Amino acid sequence: MNISFWRLGWRTLWRDLRGGELRLLMVAVTLAVASLTAVGFFADRLKGGLQRDARALLGGDAVVASDNPTPELFTAKARALGLQVVHTLGFPTMARATDERGGGTKLVALKAVQPGYPLRGSLTLSAGADQPGMATRDTPAAGEAWADAALLEALGVQVGDKLLLGNTSLRLTRLIVLEPDRGAGFMSFAPRVMIGQGDLQASGLIQPASRVSYRLAVAGSDQQVASFVAWAADEVRRPNVRGLRVESLEGGRPEMAQTLERAEKFLNLVALLAALLSAVAVALAARGFAAGHLDDCAMLRVLGLSQQRIALAYTVEFVLVGLFASALGVTIGFAVHYAFVYLLSGLVATSLPAASVWPVLFGLGMGMTLLLAFGLPPVLQLAQVPPLRVIRRDVGNLRPASLGVLAVGVLGFAALLMVASRDVTLGLIAVGGFAAAVAVFALCSWLAVKLLRRVVNEGTAPRWLVLATRQISARPAYAVVQVSALAVGLLALVLLVLLRTDLISSWRKATPPDAPNRFVINVMPEQGDAFVKTLKDAGVRGYDWYPMIRARLVAINDKPSNPDDYADDRAKRLLDREFNLSHSAAKPPHNEIVQGQWIDNEPDSVSIEEGIAKTLNIKLGDVLRFDFGGMQRDSRVSSVRKVDWGSMRANFFVMYPVASLPGVPATYMGAFRAPSTKGFDNALVRQFPNITNVDMSTTIGQVQRVLDQVIAAVEFLFAFTLAAGLVVLFASVTATREERAREFAIMRAVGARSSLLRQVQRAELMGVGLLAGFLASIMAALVGWALARYVFGFEWTVSPWAVLLGALAGAVLALAAGWWGLREVLRRPVVDTLRRSAE
């Protein structure tokens, strides 16, 4: 035969497409590429948007942020370099409506700005709640205030009314629609109020103990900004310089990325599972494809076609199939990613730029790797089929794929999945967990096959059970492959179900319906009894009540604590500022001791939160020295606590296990769920005008809405994984269709009824599915535990019923897939089947 391998490849491709031989392969590759590129397009556009808007998020090209007024040295240096400069400052405070408007109060995030703000980006303001927003370069004039629309509703005021801030009365003239350097939506829970810095001094709001954030923004050419950032970074690192940090375009403000981090991890996990399932489906479908072409290749060998030409022809066919399926998957993924943009619209606070070419190239590379690594190795064996198979059907059968070829393919695919995961821990757990699961499934299924033959007594067991046992034990290799493939598919499905229920419910438990929705700070010690009585009289029963102390960590084991001694940015920030400390004779009930022991009223000891202990490398027995406004105190670390910072409870980094700390100045803070009584907050602030009452209701609601959006996006992508799982189920069940057809034909030829064969088929499918579901549920619990602990940071609690339900689900799904894929086996005429076997 002189036909070229290109022409032969085209002919075999066209014939196999018309015959449906490549259907499963194409569906599996398309699903994997579509799920991965959908997440890839969304992440790529999000990253591009963040990079594009980084300067606006900063409010300049670089920012020097500090807890105290920015040293004049930084301003002078910026101006010397020819940079534009603008100062802003912000802090939380209470705003109040006039008595004519009801005298309502509300915690606000006050921001005082100078003319020229912002240096990058622009404010968008409106003249009223129903008016369109307009970009502006103006700043509030003297005697004016601009505010978020939410503040008007909270205080019952309108544009044009007076707003009381400290000792000043300012007129609300504009509503803030967009503030470029504010960050992501719900990160600032209080409504914004913006005023000019000239009005701030008259308000008297800044006191010596006030916590104010100062920001110096600069803008100019890239070279000027780079010079300033390098100089400022050196200044910040000088000894005894604390409370200063430099934010630049490269360092950025990560609020939006942090807000979307958990959503992206969920989406990446679902996409990884779809890709892993697709790999299994491709391997099974390719082996079935190769088994169906053994006789064709034997005839080609008889006609004189060389092994090389056959191998090249099938390579051409699979490359073309891979390119088409990958391109189709990229197209579907591009369309699907718009659903993520829509579902996560509340998190993405900016219009996104067009996607780059990277997701397209990655999708094509993933599809080709998937098909060539898992699909081509068994097909290339067709070139080695001997011509003798034409007259002897027992020779030239498929062998296990070459370990070298398979290892290279698997390693390449795993590397691409690690890149796709965008998180090393997530990738290692997902890919490594599935690799370990496959080994466990193969071993357990082999042992189960051996045990089944011994357990079933052929003399007393029903005939259908005996025949089903013989069917399974007669092909132990096929049984192992079938159970393992089914178990892998069910593992992904069960894992996603558990994540959707247990993991998501754990997230929701962080903010339960009865969680505290009010935080009150700055309660003076002499007001404590009266404040608690007011809460009880209003019907508040469960509440947190702790002293709050400001102190700075100055030494660890007599060694002065210096931020320069730590490479971690968080450690530097912790040592740059003061801590919020507290004391209590009894351990807080919502804290868990993970190391050491909490002993009530133990003197000269301290309990530390495990996260800060790890960050600062503090261990049990270390001696910490805190400076309380000039008074220093040494205490030994006697216990380490685990604190749930999302619990909406009063929590502290450091606590002294004593009832009092004599001589240490303190105020009190409380956390409680406010009663539904109308006007409760206003009455509380009127009775205790010095307190700061933080209403967290809106924040809790926003967090829950964000969670709902993430869940909706995950469930949307779940459809791809579900489809990939069903493809695996179908491919694994139908992999031995022709062998089953021949065996059933022989049994029917010797007198077996169709009803008996149906019972045999159902028993075999349900048994395989039951074992696969059982194994998959156990492995899903283990992989889910690892993901919950090391990726998502949740407690993992799996009900024992999950294993039973997983086993039953496996039996039902295997039976359904078997009915669909094998229904024609029992209907095929016996003569037709036997004639095929003899050919």
Side-chain angles (χ1 to χ4, degrees), residues 28 40 67 144 216 224 331 333 345 393 462 468 536 572 578 662 698 706:
D67 301 331
E144 291 185 359
L216 166 66
Q224 291 171 322
T331 304
S345 58
R393 299 293 302 279
K536 291 181 178 179
K572 293 178 181 291
E578 292 181 323
T698 303
V706 167

Side-chain angles (χ1 to χ4, degrees), residues 237-415:
R237 285 193 291 266
R238 287 181 180 273
N240 302 321
V241 175
R242 294 194 172 191
L244 285 170
R245 62 186 181 277
V246 180
E247 298 174 357
S248 63
L249 179 61
E250 289 73 22
R253 292 182 65 184
E255 287 95 339
M256 187 179 295
Q258 290 173 350
T259 305
L260 289 165
E261 180 182 3
R262 194 182 300 274
E264 188 175 345
K265 283 183 179 180
F266 270 111
L267 295 175
N268 282 334
L269 173 62
V270 181
L272 286 178
L273 295 181
L276 287 166
L277 286 175
S278 298
V280 177
V282 167
L284 292 172
R287 194 162 188 85
F289 174 88
H293 285 69
L294 288 171
D295 296 338
D296 299 337
C297 290
M299 183 58 68
L300 291 175
R301 294 293 309 281
V302 169
L303 295 176
L305 203 65
S306 66
Q307 292 185 359
Q308 181 182 13
R309 195 169 299 180
I310 292 175
L312 289 174
Y314 278 110
T315 301
V316 168
E317 179 178 2
F318 266 55
V319 167
L320 293 175
V321 169
L323 288 173
F324 176 78
S326 300
L328 180 61
V330 169
T331 304
I332 295 174
F334 182 75
V336 167
H337 98 276
Y338 281 104
F340 296 153
V341 175
Y342 171 76
L343 291 171
L344 298 175
S345 58
L347 298 179
V348 184
T350 180
S351 59
L352 298 178
S356 68
V357 73
W358 163 247
V360 177
L361 298 177
F362 180 78
L364 293 175
M366 176 62 75
M368 295 304 297
T369 302
L370 183 63
L371 192 62
L372 299 180
F374 295 93
L376 195 57
V379 174
L380 289 180
Q381 294 186 39
L382 294 174
Q384 302 173 9
V385 175
L388 185 61
R389 184 178 172 85
V390 172
I391 57 177
R392 287 191 57 185
R393 299 293 302 279
D394 58 332
V395 299
N397 290 320
L398 293 176
R399 304 183 309 276
S402 168
L403 291 179
V405 174
L406 188 62
V408 171
V410 170
L411 289 176
F413 183 66

Side-chain angles (χ1 to χ4, degrees), residues 713-752:
V714 172
E715 288 179 336
F716 181 80
L717 190 61
F718 173 75
F720 285 88
T721 305
L722 178 62
L726 294 178
V727 170
V728 170
L729 295 177
F730 185 83
S732 61
V733 168
T734 58
T736 57
R737 176 164 44 194
E738 294 306 317
E739 289 84 354
R740 291 172 187 270
R742 286 193 293 269
E743 292 169 357
F744 284 178
I746 293 172
M747 285 189 281
R748 289 171 66 188
V750 297

